[in-house]
Amino acid sequence: MNIKAPRGTEDWLPGRSERLRRLLDIIVHRAQLYGYDEVITPIFEHTELFTRSVGEATDIVQKEMYTFNDKKGRSITLRPEGTASVVRAFLEHQVQAQSQPTKWYYHGPMFRYDKPQAGRLRQFHQFGVEVLGSEAPEVDAEVICLLIDILRDLGLTNYEMHLNSVGCPECRVEYRKALINYIEPFRQQLCADCQRRVDINPLRVLDCKAVGCQDLMSDYPPIYDYLCPHCNQHFSQVQALLETVGVKYELDPGLVRGLDYYTQTAFEIHIKGIGAQSAVGGGGRYNGLVSELGGSPMPGIGFAMGLERLLIALELSGVAMALAPQLDAFICVLDAHNARQGFTLLKELRDAGFRCDQDYNQRGLKAQMRLADKKGARLVIILGEDEIREGTCTIRDMQEKNQETMPRDQVLNYLKSRVGTR
Ligand code: HAM
């Protein structure tokens, strides 16, 4: 049998999985400080949810969804992103009727059938937040500040924040015309995808990664000249708020994001050198999405971060994440007849909150010491023949390389004094 994990998916073995857990702990802590609560939605949804929200013309819907029919012939899709599911849950559970805004965070695996490469996977992990029920520019600034604070908590400083406003459907009528006028003379030279995009959503052409299209589009009209007074004012207020709290950003009129639901504020965080794609996070407003999915009109905004890309960025920048300690103690029992005494001590220490383990395969002392070392145990508690007879145990400090023998009932206090109270 030679079955491997599907291309673009990864196993997270201990060590790396611990880094992911720690990364999430740091991020979730900050989101909770900002007053966000966790929401958990299914990993698969009805396909229509994503076609209606993410948009028919997007690469995600056109090429990247894992879609299949279930046994009753219903079209199901593994979620390519979290926003659509969160809004669906918000509506399905009538949260819209409660006082607003609703501030939720989520994390978990997302699925996109993309070409795998460094930092681009078919199953990847996102952390995201969504705020529903407020159009206030302060909410845009809060969401961006949360993203920036998370990066600061992680020790990442080498990022660029790109900011744009993609306007509302009203501003887009004129902007769409301006873009089509600009594109028309070289339309036939665009890639096949973009030629199709021009009619469905010409803004998507700005997001094309093909070098030929990027060259042709280099002189595109910026959207700022087409923003309606309301969107213009909102965008200015968001910028003023960010400046007030010292958040640095670059205006990027070409930033349209890869999903169709965005209106007004759009932003992305880039870190160079992490792979072919430098975006570690991105998001924006989606004031039309709630009504698109059947609710009464209600504004929303959020972002998502790619956790694999954040880990790559952390590795490259040499930022050490303080990982949880490994084992506090490893118990070495030297005679199988005494296994029960070892097991009792193990249970007692675990009940007191210490991270402990022991050997179950009757290895000799040397092999058990090697195992304890491999598991990163701070202390090794030896229960040999003498210790069993005398009701003692010998404790070796693996860091300080010394050992002492003490009565069994003193072990707990000794552990507390060496590795702290748990
Ligand atoms: P997105 O820009 O498509 O936005 O994805 C957010 C982040 O997920 C990206 O910046 C990137 O770090 C990571 N990511 C995306 N695709 C992959 C992949 N194939 N492999 C590894 N990482 C990837 C969204 O998903 C929106 N739902 C964000 C949002 C929330 N907007 C409003 N609210």
Side-chain angles (χ1 to χ4, degrees), residues 222-266:
I223 191 163
Y224 306 132
D225 301 341
Y226 298 87
L227 291 181
C228 68
H230 177 68
C231 289
N232 214 351
Q233 194 198 13
H234 188 270
F235 193 38
S236 306
Q237 287 171 324
V238 173
Q239 291 178 68
L241 284 161
L242 292 177
E243 275 151 36
T244 309
V245 291
V247 171
K248 306 242 176 322
Y249 59 84
E250 283 170 32
L251 285 185
D252 181 352
L255 174 69
V256 292
R257 309 269 304 124
L259 307 98
D260 274 354
Y261 47 61
Y262 291 110
T263 56
Q264 297 185 334
T265 314

Coordinates of all heavy atoms in Angstrom, one line a residue, residues 222-266:
P222 N -8.0 54.9 -11.9 CA -8.3 54.6 -10.5 C -9.7 54.8 -10.1 O -10.4 55.7 -10.6 CB -7.3 55.5 -9.8 CG -7.0 56.6 -10.7 CD -7.2 56.1 -12.1
I223 N -10.2 54.0 -9.2 CA -11.6 54.0 -8.8 C -11.9 55.3 -8.1 O -13.1 55.8 -8.0 CB -12.0 52.8 -8.0 CG1 -13.5 52.8 -7.8 CG2 -11.3 52.8 -6.7 CD1 -14.1 51.4 -7.4
Y224 N -10.9 56.0 -7.5 CA -11.2 57.1 -6.6 C -12.0 58.2 -7.3 O -12.8 58.9 -6.7 CB -9.9 57.7 -6.0 CG -9.1 56.6 -5.3 CD1 -7.7 56.5 -5.6 CD2 -9.7 55.7 -4.4 CE1 -7.0 55.5 -4.9 CE2 -9.0 54.7 -3.8 CZ -7.7 54.6 -4.1 OH -7.0 53.6 -3.5
D225 N -11.7 58.4 -8.7 CA -12.4 59.4 -9.4 C -13.9 59.1 -9.6 O -14.7 59.9 -10.0 CB -11.8 59.6 -10.8 CG -10.3 59.9 -10.7 OD1 -9.9 60.4 -9.6 OD2 -9.6 59.7 -11.7
Y226 N -14.3 57.9 -9.2 CA -15.7 57.4 -9.5 C -16.5 57.2 -8.2 O -17.6 56.8 -8.3 CB -15.7 56.2 -10.4 CG -15.1 56.5 -11.7 CD1 -13.7 56.3 -11.9 CD2 -15.8 56.9 -12.8 CE1 -13.1 56.6 -13.1 CE2 -15.2 57.2 -14.0 CZ -13.8 57.1 -14.1 OH -13.2 57.4 -15.3
L227 N -15.9 57.3 -7.1 CA -16.6 57.0 -5.8 C -17.7 58.0 -5.6 O -17.5 59.2 -5.8 CB -15.6 57.1 -4.6 CG -14.6 55.9 -4.5 CD1 -13.7 56.1 -3.2 CD2 -15.2 54.5 -4.5
C228 N -18.9 57.6 -5.2 CA -20.0 58.5 -4.9 C -19.7 59.3 -3.6 O -18.8 58.8 -2.8 CB -21.3 57.7 -4.8 SG -21.4 56.7 -3.3
P229 N -20.3 60.4 -3.3 CA -20.0 61.2 -2.2 C -20.0 60.4 -0.9 O -19.2 60.5 0.0 CB -21.0 62.3 -2.2 CG -21.5 62.4 -3.6 CD -21.4 61.0 -4.2
H230 N -21.0 59.5 -0.7 CA -21.1 58.7 0.5 C -19.9 57.8 0.7 O -19.3 57.7 1.8 CB -22.4 57.8 0.5 CG -22.6 57.0 1.7 ND1 -22.8 57.5 2.9 CD2 -22.5 55.6 1.8 CE1 -22.9 56.5 3.8 NE2 -22.7 55.3 3.1
C231 N -19.5 57.0 -0.4 CA -18.4 56.1 -0.3 C -17.1 56.9 -0.1 O -16.2 56.5 0.6 CB -18.2 55.2 -1.5 SG -19.6 54.0 -1.7
N232 N -17.0 58.0 -0.7 CA -15.8 58.9 -0.6 C -15.6 59.4 0.8 O -14.5 59.3 1.4 CB -16.0 60.1 -1.5 CG -14.7 60.6 -2.1 OD1 -13.6 60.1 -1.7 ND2 -14.8 61.5 -3.0
Q233 N -16.7 59.8 1.4 CA -16.7 60.3 2.8 C -16.3 59.1 3.8 O -15.5 59.3 4.7 CB -18.0 60.9 3.2 CG -17.9 61.7 4.5 CD -19.2 62.0 5.1 OE1 -20.2 61.3 4.8 NE2 -19.3 62.9 6.1
H234 N -16.9 58.0 3.5 CA -16.7 56.8 4.4 C -15.2 56.4 4.3 O -14.5 56.2 5.3 CB -17.5 55.6 3.9 CG -17.5 54.4 4.8 ND1 -16.6 53.4 4.7 CD2 -18.2 54.1 5.9 CE1 -16.8 52.5 5.6 NE2 -17.8 52.9 6.4
F235 N -14.6 56.4 3.1 CA -13.2 56.0 2.9 C -12.3 57.0 3.6 O -11.3 56.7 4.3 CB -12.9 56.0 1.4 CG -11.6 55.3 1.1 CD1 -11.2 54.2 1.8 CD2 -10.9 55.7 0.0 CE1 -10.0 53.5 1.5 CE2 -9.7 55.1 -0.3 CZ -9.2 54.0 0.4
S236 N -12.6 58.3 3.5 CA -11.8 59.4 4.1 C -11.8 59.2 5.6 O -10.8 59.3 6.3 CB -12.3 60.8 3.8 OG -12.4 61.0 2.5
Q237 N -13.0 58.9 6.2 CA -13.1 58.7 7.6 C -12.3 57.5 8.1 O -11.7 57.5 9.1 CB -14.6 58.5 8.0 CG -15.4 59.8 7.9 CD -16.9 59.6 8.1 OE1 -17.4 58.6 7.7 NE2 -17.5 60.6 8.7
V238 N -12.4 56.4 7.3 CA -11.6 55.2 7.7 C -10.1 55.6 7.7 O -9.4 55.3 8.7 CB -11.8 54.0 6.7 CG1 -10.9 52.9 7.0 CG2 -13.3 53.6 6.8
Q239 N -9.7 56.3 6.7 CA -8.2 56.7 6.7 C -7.9 57.6 7.8 O -6.8 57.4 8.5 CB -7.9 57.4 5.3 CG -8.0 56.4 4.2 CD -7.7 57.2 2.9 OE1 -6.6 57.6 2.6 NE2 -8.8 57.3 2.1
A240 N -8.7 58.5 8.1 CA -8.4 59.5 9.2 C -8.3 58.7 10.6 O -7.4 59.0 11.4 CB -9.5 60.5 9.3
L241 N -9.2 57.7 10.8 CA -9.2 56.9 12.0 C -7.9 56.1 12.1 O -7.3 56.0 13.2 CB -10.4 56.0 12.1 CG -11.7 56.6 12.4 CD1 -12.9 55.8 12.0 CD2 -11.8 56.9 13.9
L242 N -7.5 55.5 11.0 CA -6.3 54.7 11.0 C -5.1 55.6 11.3 O -4.2 55.2 12.1 CB -6.1 54.0 9.7 CG -7.1 52.9 9.4 CD1 -6.9 52.3 8.0 CD2 -7.1 51.8 10.4
E243 N -5.1 56.8 10.7 CA -4.0 57.7 11.0 C -4.0 58.1 12.5 O -2.9 58.2 13.1 CB -4.1 58.9 10.1 CG -3.4 58.6 8.7 CD -4.0 59.4 7.5 OE1 -4.3 60.6 7.7 OE2 -4.1 58.8 6.4
T244 N -5.1 58.4 13.0 CA -5.2 58.8 14.4 C -4.6 57.8 15.4 O -3.9 58.1 16.3 CB -6.7 58.9 14.9 OG1 -7.4 59.7 13.9 CG2 -6.9 59.5 16.2
V245 N -4.7 56.5 15.0 CA -4.2 55.4 15.9 C -2.8 54.9 15.4 O -2.3 53.9 15.9 CB -5.1 54.3 16.2 CG1 -6.3 54.7 17.0 CG2 -5.6 53.6 14.9
G246 N -2.3 55.6 14.4 CA -0.9 55.3 14.0 C -0.8 54.0 13.1 O 0.3 53.4 13.1
V247 N -1.9 53.6 12.4 CA -1.8 52.4 11.6 C -1.3 52.9 10.2 O -1.9 53.8 9.6 CB -3.1 51.7 11.4 CG1 -3.0 50.6 10.3 CG2 -3.5 51.1 12.7
K248 N -0.2 52.3 9.7 CA 0.4 52.7 8.4 C -0.2 51.9 7.3 O -0.4 50.7 7.5 CB 1.9 52.4 8.5 CG 2.7 53.1 9.6 CD 3.7 54.1 9.0 CE 4.4 54.9 10.1 NZ 3.6 55.3 11.3
Y249 N -0.5 52.5 6.2 CA -1.0 51.8 5.0 C -0.6 52.4 3.8 O -0.1 53.6 3.7 CB -2.6 51.7 5.1 CG -3.2 53.1 5.2 CD1 -3.4 53.8 4.0 CD2 -3.5 53.8 6.4 CE1 -4.0 55.1 4.0 CE2 -4.0 55.0 6.4 CZ -4.3 55.7 5.2 OH -4.8 56.9 5.2
E250 N -0.8 51.7 2.7 CA -0.5 52.2 1.3 C -1.8 52.2 0.6 O -2.5 51.2 0.6 CB 0.4 51.3 0.5 CG 1.9 51.4 0.9 CD 2.7 50.3 0.2 OE1 2.3 49.9 -0.9 OE2 3.6 49.9 0.9
L251 N -2.2 53.3 -0.1 CA -3.4 53.2 -0.9 C -3.1 52.4 -2.2 O -2.0 52.6 -2.8 CB -3.8 54.7 -1.3 CG -4.5 55.5 -0.2 CD1 -4.9 56.8 -0.8 CD2 -5.6 54.7 0.4
D252 N -4.0 51.5 -2.5 CA -3.7 50.6 -3.7 C -5.0 50.5 -4.5 O -5.9 49.7 -4.2 CB -3.3 49.2 -3.1 CG -3.0 48.3 -4.2 OD1 -3.3 48.6 -5.4 OD2 -2.5 47.1 -3.9
P253 N -5.2 51.4 -5.5 CA -6.4 51.4 -6.2 C -6.7 50.2 -7.1 O -7.8 49.9 -7.5 CB -6.3 52.7 -7.2 CG -4.8 53.0 -7.2 CD -4.2 52.5 -5.9
G254 N -5.6 49.3 -7.2 CA -5.8 48.1 -8.0 C -6.2 46.9 -7.1 O -6.5 45.8 -7.6
L255 N -6.4 47.2 -5.8 CA -6.8 46.1 -4.9 C -8.3 45.9 -5.0 O -9.1 46.7 -4.5 CB -6.4 46.5 -3.5 CG -6.8 45.5 -2.4 CD1 -6.1 44.2 -2.5 CD2 -6.6 46.1 -1.0
V256 N -8.7 44.8 -5.7 CA -10.1 44.5 -5.8 C -10.5 43.2 -5.1 O -11.7 42.9 -4.9 CB -10.6 44.5 -7.3 CG1 -10.5 45.8 -7.9 CG2 -9.9 43.4 -8.0
R257 N -9.5 42.5 -4.6 CA -9.8 41.2 -3.9 C -10.4 40.1 -4.8 O -10.9 40.4 -5.9 CB -10.7 41.4 -2.7 CG -10.2 42.5 -1.8 CD -9.3 42.1 -0.7 NE -9.9 41.0 0.1 CZ -9.3 39.8 0.3 NH1 -8.2 39.5 -0.2 NH2 -9.9 38.9 1.1
G258 N -10.2 38.9 -4.4 CA -10.6 37.8 -5.3 C -12.0 37.3 -5.1 O -12.4 36.3 -5.7
L259 N -12.8 38.1 -4.4 CA -14.2 37.6 -4.1 C -15.1 38.8 -4.5 O -14.8 40.0 -4.3 CB -14.4 37.2 -2.7 CG -13.5 36.2 -2.1 CD1 -12.3 36.8 -1.4 CD2 -14.2 35.2 -1.3
D260 N -16.3 38.5 -5.0 CA -17.2 39.6 -5.6 C -18.0 40.3 -4.5 O -18.6 41.3 -4.9 CB -18.2 38.9 -6.6 CG -17.5 38.9 -8.0 OD1 -16.4 39.4 -8.1 OD2 -18.1 38.3 -8.9
Y261 N -18.1 39.9 -3.3 CA -19.0 40.5 -2.4 C -18.6 41.8 -1.8 O -19.3 42.5 -1.1 CB -19.5 39.5 -1.2 CG -18.4 38.8 -0.5 CD1 -17.4 39.4 0.2 CD2 -18.4 37.4 -0.5 CE1 -16.4 38.7 0.9 CE2 -17.4 36.7 0.2 CZ -16.4 37.3 0.9 OH -15.5 36.7 1.6
Y262 N -17.4 42.3 -2.1 CA -16.9 43.5 -1.4 C -17.5 44.8 -1.9 O -17.8 44.9 -3.1 CB -15.4 43.6 -1.6 CG -14.6 42.5 -0.8 CD1 -14.0 41.4 -1.4 CD2 -14.7 42.5 0.6 CE1 -13.4 40.4 -0.7 CE2 -14.1 41.5 1.3 CZ -13.4 40.5 0.7 OH -12.8 39.5 1.4
T263 N -17.7 45.7 -1.0 CA -18.2 47.0 -1.2 C -17.3 47.9 -0.4 O -16.9 47.5 0.7 CB -19.6 47.2 -0.8 OG1 -19.8 46.9 0.6 CG2 -20.6 46.4 -1.6
Q264 N -17.1 49.1 -0.8 CA -16.3 50.1 0.0 C -14.9 49.6 0.4 O -14.1 49.1 -0.4 CB -17.1 50.6 1.2 CG -18.3 51.4 0.8 CD -19.1 52.0 1.9 OE1 -19.0 51.5 3.0 NE2 -19.8 53.0 1.6
T265 N -14.6 49.6 1.7 CA -13.2 49.3 2.2 C -12.7 47.9 1.8 O -13.5 46.9 2.1 CB -13.2 49.4 3.8 OG1 -13.8 50.6 4.1 CG2 -11.8 49.4 4.2
A266 N -11.5 47.8 1.3 CA -10.9 46.5 1.0 C -9.4 46.6 1.4 O -8.8 47.7 1.3 CB -11.0 46.2 -0.5

